[in-house]
Amino acid sequence: MLHEFTAENLWVISDFDRTFTRWWGETAFGVFESCPSIPDELKQAQLDNYMKYRKIEVDLLMNPDERNQHMRDWFHAGMDALGKYLTQERFEDAVSYGQKNIHLREWMRDFALRMNELDVPFILNSAGISDIIRWVLEHNWVPYTGVHWNSFRFDEQGKFSGLNNLPVHIDDKNWEALPQDLVEIFSQKTHFLVLWDAVWDIKMGPSDRSTFNVWFLVWEQKRDEQRFRDVFDHVIESDDCDRWFLAEISSWLSGK
């Protein structure tokens, strides 16, 4: 399918945490566990939630509906903790911390730049936090066409008061949940390259188009590697991001 890609027919959709970023580094929500100015109570709540729910997130044997409910529980538990302890000032510190401590995969950045040069739309679809992700991308001079993520809201006293948009849960990163304006803008695209690190992210691409799915292997799912290699189009293992694979796509689209 790769040789069917053209700059005119392709749309790229990518997750952010552990896909656009290195698997061992900070995540958009993870900054609340390590940013120095975040109170210990919030750090502990975030860590407790991670320890409870992360093993469920990567459990491929669990019933999908049951796992999805756990993922929603994780999201809402995180929101409750933020409501108790997060202020605008602390959030701005976390954004600054994330900008410096969330590390992108080097070749993902180069790939996004090349897609921008070729006018290939590059969409970020993430259950993470808009301000943190946006500042990380801008800090690294990474262009993107559109986004789907969670936007935080604060009240007049500077206290976290919820989201500006409908929640983007881990299990809601699918084609049907994308903002309609993005779907309409790119409705004429026929080929999709979907980059992701979790099994349910395969829903990020439309089922009625030609979709090439790339899975970014994370260490917790190493035991399931062969299963993914049998099902999906390509697997990327290292933080070097498989230079040959991305270079091949860029060269093909450039007509070289």
Side-chain angles (χ1 to χ4, degrees):
M1 184 189 296
L2 291 181
H3 288 176
E4 297 176 8
F5 289 171
T6 68
E8 290 73 31
N9 70 19
L10 183 63
W11 187 11
V12 180
I13 307 175
S14 177
D15 186 25
F16 183 75
D17 292 320
R18 299 189 178 94
T19 300
F20 213 99
T21 67
R22 295 179 180 271
W23 72 264
W24 51 261
E26 294 283 3
T27 64
F29 270 103
V31 299
F32 295 122
E33 299 170 21
S34 49
C35 178
S37 61
I38 295 298
D40 290 341
E41 294 86 351
L42 179 52
K43 289 181 179 179
Q44 190 60 52
Q46 290 294 106
L47 181 59
D48 290 345
N49 286 331
Y50 181 87
M51 296 301 293
K52 178 179 180 180
Y53 291 107
R54 176 59 178 172
K55 59 180 179 289
I56 298 174
E57 182 182 7
V58 299
D59 184 355
L60 300 183
L61 299 179
M62 182 176 288
N63 177 277
D65 291 335
E66 181 182 356
R67 185 187 63 231
N68 289 347
Q69 184 56 57
H70 284 298
M71 294 302 95
R72 290 175 180 271
D73 292 343
W74 186 4
F75 183 89
H76 292 300
M79 292 295 103
D80 290 343
L82 294 173
K84 292 178 181 178
Y85 304 111
L86 188 63
T87 65
Q88 178 81 55
E89 182 178 3
R90 290 168 176 168
F91 180 61
E92 291 174 357
D93 287 343
V95 171
S96 178
Y97 179 85
Q99 178 179 323
K100 300 172 184 175
N101 291 279
I102 295 177
H103 302 288
L104 304 182
R105 297 177 189 261
E106 177 185 353
W107 285 86
M108 280 292 283
R109 175 185 179 276
D110 294 343
F111 184 65
L113 288 168
R114 189 65 187 130
M115 294 304 98
N116 183 63
E117 293 173 358
L118 295 168
D119 292 324
V120 173
F122 202 114
I123 306 300
L124 272 297
N125 192 6
S126 172
I129 307 164
S130 61
D131 287 46
I132 292 175
I133 297 174
R134 186 178 68 249
W135 277 106
V136 170
L137 295 174
E138 293 180 1
H139 177 71
N140 289 277
W141 299 90
V142 177
Y144 55 90
T145 309
V147 294
H148 185 218
W149 48 29
N150 294 297
S151 174
F152 281 12
R153 182 177 69 247
F154 294 85
D155 61 23
E156 294 181 356
Q157 287 72 44
K159 186 177 180 179
F160 175 76
S161 59
L163 302 177
N164 289 312
N165 58 304
L166 293 174
V168 182
H169 298 276
I170 292 173
D171 62 311
D172 282 340
K173 293 185 296 178
N174 54 61
W175 177 256
E176 290 75 16
L178 284 176
Q180 191 59 34
D181 58 338
L182 290 180
V183 175
E184 291 177 354
I185 289 173
F186 304 109
S187 61
Q188 301 305 312
K189 298 293 182 177
T190 57
H191 290 67
F192 289 74
L193 178 65
V194 182
L195 311 172
W196 50 282
D197 74 307
V199 64
W200 45 88
D201 284 347
I202 198 169
K203 299 179 296 182
M204 290 199 303
S207 59
D208 61 341
R209 318 283 180 90
S210 296
T211 303
F212 192 95
N213 289 287
V214 178
W215 181 54
F216 286 73
L217 176 67
V218 294
W219 67 269
E220 297 109 317
Q221 294 180 318
K222 182 69 175 177
R223 66 184 184 276
D224 300 308
E225 178 181 353
Q226 190 56 53
R227 175 179 176 182
F228 283 102
R229 288 189 181 278
D230 291 341
V231 174
F232 300 105
D233 301 298
H234 190 76
V235 174
I236 288 179
E237 294 189 56
S238 73
D239 278 334
D240 290 335
C241 198
D242 197 337
R243 301 181 182 191
W244 172 85
F245 173 72
L246 295 180
E248 181 189 25
I249 295 176
S250 296
S251 296
W252 181 262
L253 294 175
S254 301
K256 297 179 181 179

